[in-house]
Amino acid sequence: MYIFEPLLKQTIWGGDKIIPFKHLNTRLDHVGESWEISGVSGSETIVANGPDKGKSLNQLVREQKGLLVGKENYERFGDEFPLLIKFIDARQNLSIQVHPDDEVARRHGKDHGKTEMWYCVGVQECKSAHPYLYNGLKQQITPEQYKQMVADDTITEALARYDVHEGDVFFIPAGRIHAIGSGCFVTEIQQTCDVTYRIYDYKRKDKNGNCRELHTELAAESIDYNVLPSYRTEYATIKNEGVQLITCPHFTTAVYDLTEPMTLDYTDLDSFVILIAVKGEGKLICEDEEQPFRMGDTVLLPATTKEVKVEGTVKFLETYV
């Protein structure tokens, strides 16, 4: 079982929830993101435990190959770890953005696009409005109308807006316009890719008084202009069972809400598994190894793992490829 040193990212919109949520002994302001497991170049997470302590995630992949990520995953992704795991704390609204799909990304010199999902860990109520986010279009628009709505500050009128509560899930395939709103605290599971096209940023200024760059043309090329009746993932919460949330070519994610011990069987799974604790505390037992597992912890299980026993009262996400 591997745990990693979190990479804390300070942002203009970041809040104050991540450090206490993860029980960290550090003092930083405006921490918007904690990168829990990352193989992104320049932002690689470092092993924090065991005999491989001090190694980067990418080094582990190069050394262990299919033993770490799974035989088929290694054939598909090579030395790139395929998922990036984050906690995100939005004190202010994030910019409205879109990620390209593989085809668009490759046209612009990137390896692949980005599909992701959000699980809402919690929200912070504010006086003006309940915390909300945008996900998808609520009305049909053309690329030309999109550009005009960005120019005249009305783009939010075309977006589907959702009040957010703990446990809400949203899937964001490549091409879907989205934005996290103020007061939202989420876990993000995504393809390993850091390509984001910023559509609109409320004309905010950075510390130097400059507006952040918009990528209007690239975004127009990337947006999926189809309109769906709903973009929220509906599921039933069941105690002491795994409930599947999302399955797609890039990841499969389930949620577990345990009040009694459970053994997770991975005998027939040819993939690494990531467990993300979002509430409560307990421990993981794998062969002769025990690992504390409490709110804010993220654990990587190599593909050689056959089974893990989870004890305690703990809610967690399970994801793999």
Side-chain angles (χ1 to χ4, degrees):
M1 292 185 280
Y2 293 101
I3 58 174
F4 294 83
E5 298 289 349
L7 287 175
L8 303 180
K9 305 277 188 174
Q10 292 175 284
T11 65
I12 63 173
W13 46 261
D16 57 6
K17 301 184 188 69
I18 285 176
I19 289 174
F21 177 78
K22 289 188 58 61
H23 316 281
L24 300 176
N25 185 24
T26 186
R27 299 185 64 164
L28 285 175
D29 295 325
H30 307 302
V31 176
E33 299 184 351
S34 174
W35 289 28
E36 298 288 291
I37 295 181
S38 168
V40 174
S41 179
S43 293
E44 302 170 25
T45 46
I46 304 299
V47 178
N49 68 322
D52 291 306
K53 182 177 180 178
K55 292 182 179 180
S56 71
L57 175 60
N58 291 355
Q59 187 176 352
L60 285 185
V61 177
R62 289 193 298 269
E63 292 176 355
Q64 300 185 26
K65 300 179 171 56
L67 296 177
L68 181 71
V69 300
K71 182 176 181 293
E72 290 188 10
N73 282 335
Y74 192 74
E75 291 173 353
R76 178 180 173 190
F77 300 106
D79 289 337
E80 178 181 71
F81 191 81
L83 294 184
L84 171 58
I85 309 298
K86 303 176 182 177
F87 291 118
I88 300 176
D89 174 21
R91 182 177 56 90
Q92 301 176 12
N93 293 334
L94 274 67
S95 61
I96 296 168
Q97 54 191 237
V98 70
H99 307 301
D101 62 18
D102 290 349
E103 181 182 350
V104 173
R106 287 168 183 153
R107 279 205 299 267
H108 295 282
K110 306 297 183 181
D111 292 335
H112 50 74
K114 180 163 71 173
T115 286
E116 60 190 12
M117 66 164 285
W118 295 326
Y119 176 92
C120 182
V121 177
V123 297
Q124 181 174 326
E125 298 283 355
C126 55
K127 294 180 180 178
S128 57
H130 186 87
Y132 65 90
L133 56 77
Y134 293 113
N135 194 27
L137 292 169
K138 70 177 182 182
Q139 65 188 57
Q140 196 74 54
I141 59 174
T142 65
E144 292 70 27
Q145 289 172 319
Y146 147 76
K147 294 175 188 177
Q148 183 58 48
M149 295 181 85
V150 170
D152 62 20
D153 302 322
T154 60
I155 187 61
T156 57
E157 296 175 8
L159 305 182
R161 172 173 159 162
Y162 293 88
D163 286 349
V164 186
H165 305 85
E166 180 183 333
D168 281 355
V169 174
F170 292 88
F171 181 52
I172 308 107
R176 183 169 293 171
I177 296 180
H178 59 279
I180 298 172
S182 172
C184 295
F185 185 76
V186 305
T187 301
E188 183 173 89
I189 298 168
Q190 60 165 89
Q191 288 178 269
T192 295
C193 173
D194 206 23
V195 180
T196 296
Y197 297 146
R198 192 178 297 117
I199 290 171
Y200 186 69
D201 197 36
Y202 308 96
K203 290 187 164 55
R204 283 184 294 201
K205 302 291 197 304
D206 62 19
K207 62 182 179 180
N208 299 315
N210 301 313
C211 290
R212 292 199 292 173
E213 179 185 7
L214 301 182
H215 310 102
T216 305
E217 295 297 331
L218 288 168
E221 185 181 352
S222 303
I223 292 169
D224 178 354
Y225 292 92
N226 292 308
V227 177
L228 301 181
S230 176
Y231 300 93
R232 191 196 301 270
T233 297
E234 303 291 347
Y235 70 99
T237 301
I238 305 174
K239 292 282 188 180
N240 302 308
E241 288 186 27
V243 178
Q244 190 172 98
L245 302 176
I246 302 292
T247 182
C248 71
H250 308 293
F251 50 80
T252 294
T253 303
V255 63
Y256 292 77
D257 190 0
L258 301 189
T259 58
E260 58 188 43
M262 178 181 232
T263 297
L264 308 177
D265 185 355
Y266 300 122
T267 305
D268 297 326
L269 181 66
D270 181 31
S271 175
F272 64 90
V273 178
I274 297 171
L275 304 179
I276 309 162
V278 296
K279 196 171 188 179
E281 61 181 331
K283 64 181 177 179
L284 305 176
I285 305 169
C286 182
E287 297 180 346
D288 297 328
E289 184 180 3
E290 288 192 10
Q291 175 66 47
F293 189 52
R294 63 176 177 173
M295 179 183 75
D297 288 343
T298 303
V299 178
L300 171 63
L301 307 176
T304 53
T305 303
K306 299 304 180 185
E307 64 178 33
V308 175
K309 185 176 183 181
V310 186
E311 295 183 351
T313 301
V314 59
K315 180 183 284 189
F316 62 94
L317 302 178
E318 169 200 70
T319 193
Y320 55 84
V321 177

